[in-house]
Amino acid sequence: MAPGASFLPNLAEVRPEVLQAMVRQPISHRSAEFHEMFENIQYGLRDVFGTERPVYVATASGTGMMEAAIRCSPRGRILSLVNGAFGERFVKIARACGREVYRHDVALGAVPDPGEVASLLERDSYAAVTVVHSETSTGALADLRAIASTAHDAGAAIIVDSVSGAGGTPLRVDDWSLDCVVSASQKAIGLPPGLGFAATSDHFLRQAAAVNDRGVYLDLVSFDAHARNSETPSTPSVALFFALNAEIAEIVRESIGPRWDRHEAMRVAMERWVASVARESGVGIGILATPGSRSPTVTALTLPPEIRSNALISAVAARGYSIGAGYGSLSESSVRIGHMAGHTVVELTDCLAAIG
Ligand SMILES: *Cc1c(COP(=O)(O)O)cnc(C)c1O
């Protein structure tokens, strides 16, 4: 039994050396040592997000960064593309922040179609479009580049939740002209929870400066000004910065391309395994997400009526592996497997053997 082998969709397993890096006295976030660590972290995060601009690091969860993105968005109506729980969260946040939102729903497991998005944008005018990169509730991976180009053709900003994407699947903020991309520490980046990330376009940030009610704590304009001095606006979780610095060293050592390839290989291993189980045992399992739009970091497995998720999850736990239940209406009829951060095909294969 491999104790603590976690393949949860909502929490990455953290490397022991990353955990170890947190066990020390904190340092001042205005010290030279912090500045140096901040610069080192920027060096690695630039590759994770695919940007030459600074990547803001906040002491917040992914939801906090989604709220930061909404509060800094240009004034006007928001089009929210919803294909699962996190797309829906953007709607809730935007409405709670006083924004007028039009919600466009797509089937669970599917991804928004750029053509449909284009016609919605033709029919009405929107200041921004929200989209989830890797929808952790279903395992679907959106085509960010196509959606971004559609949004820009209509003059709308594109706001992206890449909480379970960044670090595990190609993300190119600059090349794909993404306006605001947010993420969090505990998914494909492989840290304990508690840090949030945001990368923006220059244009988005200039527009944000003209928005009056951005708040204080998660104001990305302020994060930008402080990042230029290699600092955060207020006292961050310094312990998590130590962890981030250690994980960045690992990301730089492996380099981002091979890290993305390793995740892609896990997605392929999942597909092969599902096909072989169906072929060899006749058990009717499947993958919820549409072929061709599957996330390399998380898979939702659909189960046949005779297998319920809680029974499967406990049986797999007895073999030493944690996997998660399905989302919402699919909680009983599916399970979710997170194959992200430090995991390899070999480890995933062991977990799949336990599920088998
Ligand atoms: C986990 C997750 C979030 C929420 O992150 P928190 O850190 O729990 O606030 C948002 N979006 C996606 C896609 C996620 O996977």
Side-chain angles (χ1 to χ4, degrees):
M1 178 157 132
S6 168
F7 286 82
L8 292 171
N10 58 348
L11 200 57
E13 201 167 275
V14 180
R15 296 172 204 278
E17 55 282 20
V18 169
L19 291 175
Q20 212 51 52
M22 294 193 288
V23 187
R24 54 169 290 197
Q25 287 292 333
I27 57 172
S28 162
H29 62 296
R30 305 291 180 221
S31 66
E33 188 184 354
F34 185 87
H35 291 161
E36 199 180 305
M37 175 168 70
F38 189 97
E39 282 152 30
N40 186 57
I41 286 168
Q42 288 299 315
Y43 177 76
L45 287 179
R46 265 199 283 273
D47 288 348
V48 171
F49 286 83
T51 182
E52 292 302 316
R53 290 178 40 77
V55 177
Y56 314 128
V57 186
T59 300
S61 85
T63 307
M65 303 315 287
M66 292 168 81
E67 187 160 326
I70 294 291
R71 294 196 72 168
C72 291
S73 294
R75 304 229 131 276
R77 232 137 62 97
I78 294 179
L79 171 62
S80 282
L81 309 178
V82 177
N83 61 338
F86 296 108
E88 200 166 358
R89 188 168 297 184
F90 257 143
V91 174
K92 187 177 173 191
I93 292 171
R95 289 196 174 135
C97 290
R99 296 304 186 104
E100 193 187 332
V101 181
Y102 180 81
R103 166 184 175 149
H104 173 62
D105 279 272
V106 174
L108 294 180
V111 290
D113 173 60
E116 271 178 49
V117 175
S119 50
L120 289 168
L121 289 167
E122 255 167 49
R123 226 175 294 154
D124 284 300
S125 100
Y126 294 94
V129 176
T130 67
V131 63
V132 178
H133 189 193
S134 164
E135 181 42 92
T136 316
S137 63
T138 67
L141 186 78
D143 182 350
L144 287 189
R145 194 211 305 243
I147 303 277
S149 124
T150 308
H152 287 145
D153 287 347
I158 178 86
I159 296 168
V160 180
D161 165 353
S162 190
V163 172
S164 71
T169 191
L171 177 59
R172 304 186 193 279
V173 170
D174 293 355
D175 288 354
W176 297 346
S177 301
L178 307 176
D179 289 297
C180 186
V181 178
V182 300
S183 195
S185 51
Q186 76 275 20
K187 306 270 172 79
I189 296 176
L191 295 175
L195 291 181
F197 303 96
T200 66
S201 68
D202 198 39
H203 182 62
F204 180 88
L205 207 72
R206 271 187 279 113
Q207 281 187 307
V211 175
N212 295 327
D213 46 4
R214 303 189 303 274
V216 172
Y217 186 65
L218 292 171
D219 175 15
L220 299 178
V221 176
S222 164
F223 272 90
D224 187 73
H226 283 86
R228 288 169 199 285
N229 296 323
S230 304
E231 287 185 358
T232 52
S234 57
T235 314
S237 165
V238 174
L240 287 171
F241 264 74
F242 290 144
L244 174 58
N245 198 34
E247 181 63 19
I248 286 293
E250 177 54 29
I251 291 173
V252 168
R253 188 200 58 74
E254 183 179 22
S255 92
I256 197 71
R259 187 179 172 102
W260 290 336
D261 293 346
R262 178 164 54 76
H263 284 83
E264 176 62 10
M266 288 192 279
R267 183 190 68 73
V268 171
M270 271 304 320
E271 284 186 344
R272 291 207 175 123
W273 177 79
V274 169
S276 77
V277 168
R279 194 174 55 238
E280 284 159 26
S281 67
V283 174
I285 59 168
I287 293 177
L288 177 64
T290 316
S293 300
R294 290 175 176 165
S295 174
T297 64
V298 56
T299 298
L301 272 189
T302 55
L303 305 173
E306 66 274 20
I307 303 175
R308 295 296 75 191
S309 66
N310 52 3
L312 180 60
I313 291 166
S314 347
V316 172
R319 288 163 175 78
Y321 292 93
S322 325
I323 59 171
Y327 153 73
S329 55
L330 301 166
S331 69
E332 287 192 353
S333 60
S334 68
V335 291
R336 288 177 305 146
I337 300 157
H339 30 86
M340 56 177 90
H343 281 319
T344 60
V345 168
V346 172
E347 290 163 1
L348 176 62
T349 305
D350 290 343
C351 172
L352 294 177
I355 298 172

